[in-house]
Amino acid sequence: MSAEATNPEARPDARPELRRRGRTRLDLRRLGRAALLGPTSRDRLPDAIGHVAEAHRAHHPDADLSILRRAYVLAESSHRGQMRKSGEPYITHPLAVTLILAELGAETTTLTASLLHDTVEDTEVTLDQVREEFGDEVCFIVDGVTKVEKIDYGAAAEPETFRKMLVATGNDVRVMSIKLADRLHNMRTLGVMRPDKQARIAKVTRDVLIPLAERLGVQALKTELEDLVFAILHPEEYEHTRALIAAHAGERDPLPAIAESVRVVLREAGIHAEVLVRPRHFVSVHRISRKRGELRGSDFGRLLILVGENADCYGVLGELHTCFTPVVSEFKDFIAVPKFNLYQSLHTAFATSGGHVAEVIVRTRQMHRVAEAGVVALGNPYATAAAVTATAAAAGGSAEACADPYEERVDPTRPGWLSRLLDWQQSAPDPDTFWSVLRAELAQDREITVFRADGGTLGLPGGASCIDAAYAQHGEAAHGCIGARVNGRLTSLTSRLSDGDTVQLLLAHDASSGPSADWLEHAHTPAARIAISSWLKAHPDGAAATTTAARAPLSVVGARGGGGNAVADLPDATVRLAGCCTPVPPDAVAGFVVRGGAVTVHRVQCAAVAQMRSLGRTSVAVHWRATADCRVTLLAESFGRPHLLADLTEAIAREGVEVVSATVEPPVEQRVRHSYTLQLPDATGLPALMRAMRDVPGVYDVSRA
């Protein structure tokens, strides 16, 4: 996995400024000598992993280090004699990877698997040996980060390796944690490789590993990976950014003075907080310079304020906005609404009297730990009684007690993007398709959550449409989706969804329904695009259920007319019910004399009534006879499907209502509008009739004309 890496000291253009401040650096020569000397006595921790043990105990004071000792002994003995291209003993690589994870706060099982992560791939150690010695959990993680054999997969080895790791990550995110730390150490030590190979590895890191680090919330790894990739792929822009940072280092930095002012304000308010100046990393400075042009002193860093409780975050925010001039457009509340990668903080900015603008991040110390280490800081999110027992048994060396550590696992932190990846990768057997779609999916840098009508939620990428929601909720059954309601309003399937929307998806009951080719233009998730493409390939003639060819409205007209049981207070006047609103008893009505002396009767809410009165027309009083029969026009809106008109007509007939006329308009986006003029034997039966029409499959609304 890492035999291509080399020692940073051997790289003439190594950039020490990329190293994160305060991070312990490995003395590879010392570790190399310790590795070559072999393990120490059984009752003593090997010197070579003393720094790992120290970092681990800083986060987990009660951790049992005996399993780490056994893992190191196996890793060192199996890798003995193997050298990296830099000439260092190979054991220095798993040690470095394990140290990275230990500093982030990874628990003991992760560190054990990290020490062993290359043994199965590069030595004679087998998975069965790992399982027997360290238990099922460690074995599963080691297997997850082990590459597939290139001799078996050829050019598809790299995408298939990532597919395997993603599937394993779906069961245990610690697999990807180790992979990210492994890639970081290899990127740190990439110096002696050919430039073309450096560029190839850097591009994969940029397109796949960095987005995965972002999604898993491991900012400490993500930012350093970004800087290393930036230096390799964009050397000129990197040098320009480095020059900007170097020039700023020689100037007076205003942020320390601003931080002291903030400390005074918070101290006087009685808020216990730690105020730090946090320098921006290289890529962040580059982005700010492109956004703002010329940089000022406060642009090279941000203030980080750490407090104890969530409520203190908002207390700090109130004091900052009261004592300084806030920049309202910069305020974001990621505590109330966390990012999809578990990130929580308050972001704001304020202007000082000296003309500087300071950006501020406010979070609790626990939020800070999660923001830096992401899923690594959460330990084992799947821990159940069985898993805890398995881990304890593994630490004691008993494999018999580790029956099934994954039984009934429910990952509370498993995000929607990972579930989507696991779903669609099953439908992408072609490695090239998987590789290209994976990069496209990871390029989505925003996630939204929409609510289903049944109360569940769907996690979707930003810009997703109702089509994406349909396939996320219903899978291949979404081929028959014919419409959607978003926040209670009917909308087309191509409509984009926003964070917090409620979506109700409407499916056709006809098995022959299917997607149209233009759905691909509005589908953003790989699952939707793969499913639609597969259906279109299997049905080259398209769905037979709906046709978009324009045709004249279909009309069926009866012979009856007149004013029904409406009577106007005008002797011998002919009364007609207005077709625009078709009033029925007991509607409040008004009549107006029209050409020929007839009186047209409207509901008082009808727009025609307001228009007549605005023209100065005097209304005629109208009342209803005691007879109950009436005439009404109803509009039925539905999704097109075979036999819909027949089913609606049958529903009307079952209510004992006569159809005077019916009009069916041509379908638009699979939606059809029906207009029925009906003669009811009793006006009180109108609500029941409308309910019966709404119950017809495919009908989504029935209203009065």
Side-chain angles (χ1 to χ4, degrees), residues 159-409:
E160 289 302 328
T161 293
F162 274 99
R163 187 201 296 265
K164 176 187 175 187
M165 288 181 186
L166 282 173
V167 173
T169 300
N171 287 319
D172 198 324
V173 291
R174 292 174 293 183
V175 171
M176 193 55 66
S177 299
I178 293 176
K179 177 59 183 175
L180 291 172
D182 172 82
R183 179 54 60 94
L184 175 57
H185 183 244
N186 285 338
M187 288 296 296
R188 284 177 178 174
T189 60
L190 207 59
V192 298
M193 299 185 65
R194 299 192 314 269
D196 61 317
K197 202 161 188 179
Q198 289 187 39
R200 183 186 68 79
I201 295 174
K203 287 176 181 177
V204 174
T205 303
R206 177 196 62 193
D207 296 342
V208 180
L209 273 304
I210 288 176
L212 285 171
E214 169 73 17
R215 280 157 173 72
L216 293 173
V218 195
Q219 294 297 318
L221 303 187
K222 179 227 175 190
T223 54
E224 190 171 352
L225 284 171
E226 280 186 327
D227 284 348
L228 292 165
V229 167
F230 183 42
I232 292 172
L233 297 183
H234 305 283
E236 293 182 0
E237 295 179 4
Y238 168 81
E239 290 298 336
H240 174 69
T241 305
R242 188 175 67 84
L244 287 176
I245 295 174
H248 167 69
E251 299 175 354
R252 181 177 177 275
D253 189 349
L255 285 178
I258 297 174
E260 184 57 33
S261 300
V262 171
R263 291 189 191 99
V264 172
V265 167
L266 298 182
R267 192 182 306 121
E268 292 176 351
I271 299 176
H272 298 286
E274 185 179 1
V275 182
L276 306 172
V277 176
R278 190 169 195 182
R280 293 183 184 275
H281 64 106
F282 276 63
V283 171
S284 180
V285 172
H286 174 66
R287 290 171 181 158
I288 290 293
S289 67
R290 294 187 63 181
K291 177 181 177 182
R292 300 178 183 172
E294 185 177 354
L295 298 180
R296 298 198 292 181
S298 58
D299 293 329
F300 288 88
R302 292 183 286 189
L303 298 185
L304 173 63
I305 303 178
L306 301 179
V307 294
E309 303 292 337
N310 287 19
D312 293 336
C313 295
Y314 294 98
V316 169
L317 182 71
E319 292 299 324
L320 293 180
H321 285 191
T322 301
C323 299
F324 302 95
T325 304
V327 181
V328 179
S329 61
E330 296 293 327
F331 172 68
K332 298 181 181 66
D333 188 347
F334 295 120
I335 295 178
V337 185
K339 288 187 178 182
F340 66 90
N341 60 359
L342 312 178
Y343 179 87
Q344 287 185 287
S345 291
L346 295 178
H347 288 207
T348 189
F350 61 80
T352 68
S353 57
H356 295 288
V357 175
E359 294 186 30
V360 185
I361 300 173
V362 185
R363 58 175 70 138
T364 66
R365 290 174 177 82
Q366 174 61 19
M367 291 176 191
H368 181 60
R369 182 173 174 236
V370 174
E372 288 293 290
V375 294
V376 179
L378 300 179
N380 181 3
Y382 315 92
T384 63
V388 171
T389 301
T391 303
S398 173
E400 289 76 14
C402 310
D404 188 0
Y406 301 109
E407 183 178 0
E408 297 183 358
R409 283 191 166 190

Side-chain angles (χ1 to χ4, degrees), residues 68 270 342 358 382 434 480 549 606 620 691:
L68 292 181
L342 312 178
Y382 315 92
F434 168 78
C606 181
V620 177
R691 283 196 299 271

Side-chain angles (χ1 to χ4, degrees), residues 84 125-126 173 187 252 273 275 414 496 569 678:
R84 307 190 82 207
V125 175
T126 66
V173 291
M187 288 296 296
R252 181 177 177 275
V275 182
R414 177 164 159 178
R496 287 194 173 191
D569 293 344
L678 308 170

Side-chain angles (χ1 to χ4, degrees), residues 629-651:
D629 68 313
C630 63
R631 180 172 296 186
V632 65
T633 298
L634 298 180
L635 299 178
E637 296 183 85
S638 62
F639 297 106
R641 65 171 179 84
H643 313 301
L644 177 62
L645 182 60
D647 292 345
L648 268 171
T649 305
E650 182 181 352

Side-chain angles (χ1 to χ4, degrees), residues 436-504:
S436 60
V437 176
L438 173 65
R439 295 185 182 207
E441 167 74 1
L442 293 176
Q444 303 283 347
D445 59 356
R446 192 169 63 88
E447 178 113 347
I448 63 172
T449 299
V450 298
F451 297 92
R452 300 179 349 198
D454 60 7
T457 60
L458 295 172
L460 299 169
S465 66
C466 293
I467 295 172
D468 298 303
Y471 282 95
Q473 180 173 349
H474 297 292
E476 291 189 357
H479 292 329
C481 194
I482 52 178
R485 287 181 183 273
V486 176
N487 302 325
R489 298 175 64 88
L490 188 75
T491 187
S492 66
L493 284 173
T494 59
S495 298
R496 287 194 173 191
L497 296 168
S498 299
D499 199 31
D501 281 347
T502 298
V503 59
Q504 178 186 4

